[in-house]
Amino acid sequence: MFEKVIVVDCRAHLLGRLASIIAKELLNGQHVVCVRCEELNISGEFFRNKLKFMAFLRKRMNTNPRRGPYHYRAPSRILWRTIRGMVPHKTPRGAAALERLKVFEGVPPPYDKMKRMVIPDALRVLKLRPGRKFTVLSRLSHEFGWRHKDLIARLETKRKTKSHAYYLKKKALIKLRTKAVANVATQLEAVKPVLEAHGFA
């Protein structure tokens, strides 16, 4: 799938599966934008994932932890780091691939006006057995110091309200257009063969 840019809605996708598919696309030259990273899922109950993250936080430089490794708390950066681990990021090819990736919490403009895709091979509802426990990334991030959970929730509510109003307006316009086409259908019968001959049917 090669397009100018692909906007992926990360809601209800499994983190690792999504990251592996995006990593491959980036290496193939595709530009990818990931939105709503805070709604990513990780398989396994919350407490288990919290323990895993705490173990990850303990992995640091003994003499000067400021030198790394760095443990990002924001959901978008967690996804970015997961993808980085699947890309040879220390080579020019890998670095160029990472440059083609953008990650966001929520859906900022201009991506709120663009078509968003899902990736069926990474959807939790298709890939995780019903009844299995899972963790929402925003909760994990929030517990470890990400401070913008409430802000993103507020902005998302605002965006969804505007989006719904736009959708209703669009639906009304489509209905009017269909009605208008039906009204003039009889008038166009006489000129229809001419229009068809010139490719305007």
Side-chain angles (χ1 to χ4, degrees):
M1 53 173 197
F2 192 80
E3 293 171 36
K4 197 169 184 182
V5 63
I6 287 176
V7 182
V8 178
D9 186 353
C10 298
R11 183 184 162 274
H13 285 69
L14 291 168
L15 176 64
R17 286 178 180 270
L18 180 71
S20 63
I21 292 163
I22 289 173
K24 189 64 182 172
E25 288 297 324
L26 293 169
L27 288 167
N28 286 340
Q30 179 65 59
H31 287 261
V32 180
V33 177
C34 300
V35 295
R36 289 216 278 185
C37 292
E38 74 282 0
E39 294 197 44
L40 274 164
N41 296 156
I42 305 170
S43 60
E45 64 175 344
F46 174 73
F47 186 68
R48 181 183 167 86
N49 281 309
K50 189 174 179 179
L51 290 179
K52 279 185 180 179
F53 203 87
M54 285 167 84
F56 172 58
L57 289 181
R58 284 197 296 275
K59 290 166 178 61
R60 59 182 203 161
M61 188 177 178
N62 212 6
T63 52
N64 188 0
R66 281 179 298 180
R67 289 189 178 176
Y70 302 112
H71 312 96
Y72 301 112
R73 266 54 164 209
S76 59
R77 298 306 283 174
I78 290 173
L79 174 65
W80 180 87
R81 197 179 198 276
T82 310
I83 293 167
R84 190 188 70 175
M86 300 178 183
V87 166
H89 66 98
K90 292 186 180 183
T91 65
R93 175 172 170 258
L98 271 185
E99 285 291 312
R100 291 190 280 272
L101 174 67
K102 287 181 182 178
V103 286
F104 299 101
E105 285 94 15
V107 189
Y111 306 111
D112 55 343
K113 301 276 196 298
M114 290 169 77
K115 179 84 173 165
R116 294 186 287 280
M117 305 290 177
V118 296
I119 297 173
D121 283 345
L123 279 172
R124 188 201 77 239
V125 75
L126 298 177
K127 292 294 173 182
L128 198 64
R129 189 172 146 199
R132 292 290 188 197
K133 291 180 179 176
F134 63 90
T135 306
V136 180
L137 192 55
S138 63
R139 187 184 170 196
L140 192 69
S141 291
H142 182 68
E143 295 257 337
F144 283 99
W146 180 54
R147 293 192 295 270
H148 306 299
K149 187 184 177 188
D150 298 333
L151 171 67
I152 293 295
R154 270 202 321 274
L155 289 170
E156 277 296 280
T157 308
K158 204 164 148 186
R159 179 189 66 81
K160 284 173 188 171
T161 309
K162 280 173 74 177
S163 181
H164 184 63
Y166 168 77
Y167 172 68
L168 291 176
K169 189 179 170 186
K170 184 182 172 183
K171 207 159 72 166
L173 285 170
I174 289 169
K175 198 174 177 183
L176 279 171
R177 190 178 188 283
T178 312
K179 197 175 174 185
V181 168
N183 287 344
V184 296
T186 49
Q187 297 169 30
L188 289 175
E189 285 299 323
V191 290
K192 203 172 182 182
V194 181
L195 289 171
E196 281 176 357
H198 291 86
F200 290 107

